[in-house]
Amino acid sequence: TGTSYKFRMWCTRFPRHVPVKPNAVYVALIKRRFNLAQEASEILLTREPQLKCNRTISVFASLNEGTTFSLSTDGLTIPDFPTRPDKPLLLSPKEMPNPKKAGVAMTPWLLHSLAHIEITAVEMVWDTILRFSDAMPQQFYSDFVKIASDEARHFSFLCERLQTYGLEYGDLPAHNNLWVTADKTRDNLLARIATVQLVQEPRALDSGDRLVSKFMSTGDKESAALMKLICFEEIEHVRLGVKWYEMLCKEQNKDPVTTYHEIVRKFVGIIPPPFNSKARGEAGMVPEYYLPVAHKPH
C-alpha cells in the first residue's frame, strides 16, 4: 500500500539510530573534550531547538564511533528549565486553543504538537543525564544518548512535514505539561525513569495507530508513514526504560510492579486506556504494570 511504501521510504532515508547529517567538525571537537555532563549542560542551555537536536545527533555520532566519555559536573550549570526561544507560547493544557481557534487544520496542529513533545523529550533525556550523572553505569548514559538522538531526529522530521503546510515550529502555542513531570522527579531517578520512559513514552505507543489513521484520513500519507516510524522506534525507548527501571528496583530491593504503581499514583495519578498492549509487550512492559493504575483505587 501507499502507507507501507512510505514507511519503507522513511526507514531507508532515515535508518534507525543512524544520525542525520552530524556535524563532522563538532564530532571532532567532542572527541577532544568529551565530558558528557558538559555536553548535557550546554545542550540544555542552547536556545534554538534545531541546534539542540543537531548537537544531540553529533554526540550520538561520536559515541557510535567508539568515543569514551567522562561525567564530571564540576563548575557546570544544571538549569531548572531548559533555555528556549520566545516561541512557541507555552500554555497550560486548559488554556490551549483547539485547531479551529488557532486558525489551522488538524494535520499541521498535530504535527506541531508532536514536534513539541519530541523536543521536550530531548531536553528531558539530557536533564536526566546531567542531574543524575553519578548514579548509573556508563551504558545507561549511552542508552539515553541513543534515545535523545532518536527524539532529535523525530523533531527534525516533524518540522520538515510542518513546513509543507507553510508553518515552522513555534508558530502555534504548545503546552508545558510534560516538563512538570520532569520537575517533580528532579531528585528521584527511579521516579524519573518510571514517569518519563514508562508513562510518557508508552503513551506514544498507545496513540500511534489513532494518529496514523488521522493523517491517512486527510490524505497525508507521508506524515502517516513518519508516525509509524516514530512509534516503531519508541518501542526501543520503552524497552530501555524497563531495563534500567527494573535494575534500579533490584538494587534498591523494591518490587518493580508495586513500586511503579506507587510512583504513578504519586506523580501522575492514573494512566487512562486504551492501551497498545502489543507494542507495550514488545517493549517488555507487561499489563501488570499499567492496568492497576488505569483507574483510581477504590
Side-chain angles (χ1 to χ4, degrees):
T1 66
T3 301
S4 61
Y5 168 77
K6 291 289 186 182
F7 178 57
R8 292 195 299 272
M9 180 201 74
W10 279 100
C11 290
T12 301
R13 184 178 171 198
F14 306 114
R16 192 180 188 197
H17 300 323
V18 174
V20 180
K21 299 179 182 178
N23 186 313
V25 174
Y26 186 66
V27 170
L29 286 173
I30 291 173
K31 288 184 176 181
R32 289 203 294 269
R33 55 169 188 83
F34 200 21
N35 175 0
L36 189 61
Q38 181 177 342
E39 295 299 324
S41 178
E42 291 180 1
I43 289 170
L44 287 169
L45 293 170
T46 298
R47 182 179 178 84
E48 293 303 321
Q50 192 57 65
L51 184 54
K52 267 185 177 134
C53 291
N54 292 347
R55 291 189 67 165
T56 296
I57 289 166
S58 294
V59 171
F60 179 62
S62 183
L63 288 185
N64 252 8
E65 294 179 8
T67 305
T68 58
F69 58 86
S70 62
L71 283 155
S72 173
T73 58
D74 292 347
L76 296 181
T77 298
I78 303 178
D80 292 332
F81 191 80
T83 302
R84 290 177 176 173
D86 295 334
K87 298 192 302 181
L89 175 66
L90 297 180
L91 303 173
S92 70
K94 290 182 178 179
E95 295 174 315
M96 284 289 291
N98 59 34
K100 185 177 181 180
K101 287 185 178 179
V104 296
M106 177 61 74
T107 298
W109 176 263
L110 288 173
L111 290 169
H112 191 276
S113 298
L114 291 167
H116 181 67
I117 290 170
E118 296 294 343
I119 190 62
T120 305
V122 172
E123 293 166 339
M124 286 195 293
V125 169
W126 285 117
D127 184 82
T128 299
I129 290 172
L130 180 59
R131 202 168 292 280
F132 304 101
S133 60
D134 60 350
M136 299 292 279
Q138 281 215 335
Q139 187 59 49
F140 170 85
Y141 303 101
S142 296
D143 286 347
F144 269 57
V145 171
K146 178 190 292 185
I147 293 173
S149 182
D150 280 350
E151 309 290 20
R153 288 167 54 247
H154 299 166
F155 175 80
S156 299
F157 304 160
L158 288 162
C159 288
E160 181 182 316
R161 295 299 309 141
L162 196 58
Q163 288 167 358
T164 66
Y165 292 90
L167 294 172
E168 301 285 344
Y169 174 68
D171 286 347
L172 299 173
H175 73 76
N176 200 38
N177 206 37
L178 294 172
W179 193 262
V180 172
T181 301
D183 190 56
K184 287 180 180 177
T185 58
R186 60 191 302 169
D187 299 316
N188 187 332
L189 178 58
L190 188 64
R192 170 67 64 88
I193 296 172
T195 54
V196 176
Q197 273 66 49
L198 301 187
V199 173
Q200 292 180 5
E201 296 265 25
R203 296 310 281 169
L205 303 181
D206 298 336
S207 62
D209 290 343
R210 174 177 56 83
L211 291 172
V212 168
S213 296
K214 282 193 174 185
F215 287 133
M216 288 296 292
S217 70
T218 64
D220 190 344
K221 294 181 180 180
E222 189 139 343
S223 291
L226 174 57
M227 195 65 226
K228 280 191 174 184
L229 175 63
I230 289 172
C231 290
F232 176 69
E233 294 193 351
E234 298 289 352
I235 292 174
E236 175 72 358
H237 302 176
V238 178
R239 187 192 69 77
L240 291 171
V242 171
K243 165 188 166 182
W244 291 110
Y245 169 79
E246 292 185 345
M247 191 213 78
L248 271 176
C249 283
K250 185 176 181 180
E251 285 187 352
Q252 297 176 19
N253 295 315
K254 294 181 176 180
D255 177 76
V257 173
T258 57
T259 300
Y260 180 76
H261 299 163
E262 293 167 1
I263 291 172
V264 169
R265 289 184 179 123
K266 178 178 179 180
F267 293 100
V268 180
I270 64 170
I271 307 173
F275 301 112
N276 187 337
S277 299
K278 182 177 182 294
R280 284 171 173 260
E282 289 176 9
M285 196 171 194
V286 295
E288 287 77 9
Y289 271 111
Y290 53 88
L291 289 183
V293 287
H295 51 78
K296 293 181 179 180
H298 297 295

